[in-house]
Amino acid sequence: MSPGSPSGNTPSGPDLRVNFAGIELKNPIIAASGTFGYGVEFEDIVHLDRLGGLVVKGLSVEPMTGNPPPRLFETAAGMLNAIGLQNIGARAFLDEKLPALRTKKNVVVFANVFGYTRADYERTIGILNEGEGIAAYELNVSCPNTAHGGIQFGSDPQLLDEVVRTAKRAARRPLIVKLSPNVTSIALMAHVAEEAGADAISLVNTFLAMAIDAETRRPRIANVTAGLSGPAIKPIALRMVYDAAHAVKIPVIGMGGIATPVDVVEFMLAGATAVQVGTASYFDPVATETLAEELTTYCREHRIARLCELTGGMVTD
Ligand SMILES: Cc1cc2nc3c(=O)[nH]c(=O)nc-3n(C[C@H](O)[C@H](O)[C@H](O)COP(=O)(O)O)c2cc1C
């Protein structure tokens, strides 16, 4: 991206570009998986080319219908979801969604991948390798692993190591490993992902949580437990990004409750190279684009010439 391009990075303006895994983004704002459909659904309301990039809904080998409703519930400063990884399947994504995204210039697309077994991840990546126009894969390792009695890949170091190695072998594109926050040591899991071949890590996914209707005495979510996201999780996510960034040399993509330019700056100072924005799009569908604009203004007002220089820049003395 050259200075003076439509990104808003004019010669006199702040340079918002960031780089990770050999990918250059015009700014660090990436729409998070599961909160931005397959990107195309948002094209009428968001200028996709003004975002750093977008991550599509988690893709599996076969289409999935997800969990029964209710699947969403708003909590104090957050949101519970148990969508259950509903998606159209990797093949349909290539045939029905990716061609439309490819007609757009300057849109960086990341494909989020999940499976219940290592073979699932391998097969999904194998299908996606055939498509053109995907910048990298983001491996969602937070799903139940039925082959291992409900343990999650993302909460067992040995399983994480194996699934990342499998995915890395299969992938013809850079591999971002998205870590689960439902672990005791995020530093250990970040280290395991790096050793197994991840080109970058992203965190956090949602926190296991639940809510009960005291009147009916029923769970608010049909699945009973769900994932908590939004501003409520931001301080915990920030701590985890900080811990993970200190455990690895590969780039870290931070997320969890980000909604304002100050949030972005905090995550970058904690060690993030780029950030993702999820639940904010539920409160305001244009939140991602607005945030990219506001970030430009923020940098101008705070005389930040090169945003990427903030990464890991927290001052402690
Ligand atoms: C409704 C919903 C669906 C989600 N689906 C996925 C998914 O398919 N794959 C994934 O890796 N993360 C998924 N996530 C997690 C988000 O990408 C993100 O990691 C999390 O919500 C924290 O960021 P936020 O607080 O900005 O939303 C989903 C989150 C929400 C709220």
Side-chain angles (χ1 to χ4, degrees), residues 1-314:
M1 180 73 52
S2 61
S5 69
S7 68
N9 299 335
T10 56
S12 57
D15 180 354
L16 301 192
R17 289 173 299 178
V18 297
N19 278 278
F20 59 84
I23 304 158
E24 180 173 291
L25 304 185
K26 59 178 82 70
N27 65 58
I29 310 298
I30 303 169
S33 180
T35 63
F36 211 70
Y38 301 99
V40 280
E41 297 85 348
F42 277 74
E43 67 180 339
D44 290 340
I45 49 168
V46 173
H47 294 94
L48 301 181
D49 61 348
R50 297 198 185 153
L51 307 182
L54 63 94
V55 189
V56 302
K57 176 72 188 157
L59 297 164
S60 51
V61 181
E62 304 293 341
M64 287 181 62
T65 50
N67 291 325
R71 312 195 289 185
L72 290 177
F73 180 70
E74 190 174 337
T75 65
M79 193 170 85
L80 287 175
N81 96 81
I83 302 295
L85 300 165
Q86 177 181 354
N87 79 102
I88 59 173
R91 177 67 59 194
F93 171 71
L94 291 193
D95 295 343
E96 296 163 23
K97 306 290 181 181
L98 197 56
L101 285 173
R102 287 203 63 207
T103 61
K104 317 241 161 295
K105 290 196 171 56
N106 277 324
V107 177
V108 179
V109 177
F110 297 94
N112 185 277
V113 173
F114 80 93
Y116 290 102
T117 64
R118 268 192 291 151
D120 286 348
Y121 282 96
E122 199 171 9
R123 285 176 61 205
T124 305
I125 289 173
I127 295 168
L128 294 174
N129 278 338
E130 295 170 27
E132 295 292 329
I134 299 170
Y137 301 126
E138 181 180 61
L139 209 63
N140 177 4
V141 292
S142 317
C143 340
N145 172 13
T146 47
H148 287 83
I151 304 170
Q152 297 189 339
F153 284 109
S155 50
D156 180 310
Q158 178 69 33
L159 293 182
L160 180 66
D161 176 78
E162 288 171 9
V163 74
V164 174
R165 282 181 199 280
T166 301
K168 181 66 183 171
R169 260 197 311 273
R172 292 203 199 119
R173 301 189 162 101
L175 187 68
I176 303 163
V177 176
K178 182 167 180 179
L179 298 175
S180 167
N182 302 307
V183 297
T184 309
S185 170
I186 196 75
L188 171 64
M189 302 309 270
H191 177 70
V192 167
E194 179 179 46
E195 288 292 302
D199 298 292
I201 51 172
S202 59
L203 69 158
V204 295
N205 211 315
T206 55
F207 287 82
L208 263 180
M210 63 187 282
I212 299 173
D213 181 338
E215 296 301 319
T216 63
R217 303 187 176 184
R218 292 182 173 281
R220 294 286 193 179
I221 299 277
N223 189 56
V224 182
T225 59
L228 181 65
S229 60
I233 69 170
K234 199 196 95 180
I236 318 176
L238 190 66
R239 188 269 299 171
M240 291 190 145
V241 165
Y242 175 76
D243 280 353
H246 282 78
V248 297
K249 295 194 177 62
I250 51 176
V252 176
I253 302 162
M255 78 198 90
I258 293 177
T260 68
V262 173
D263 296 336
V264 177
V265 169
E266 284 185 49
F267 274 79
M268 292 185 76
L269 290 173
T273 294
V275 297
Q276 292 185 19
V277 177
T279 302
S281 292
Y282 274 80
F283 297 115
D284 172 10
V286 298
T288 46
E289 182 176 348
T290 305
L291 183 52
E293 271 165 31
E294 290 173 349
L295 192 59
T296 308
T297 309
Y298 181 95
C299 289
R300 202 168 280 136
E301 287 174 358
H302 290 77
R303 303 193 181 288
I304 299 169
R306 293 190 68 215
L307 186 62
C308 66
E309 289 174 0
L310 293 189
T311 297
M314 185 178 78

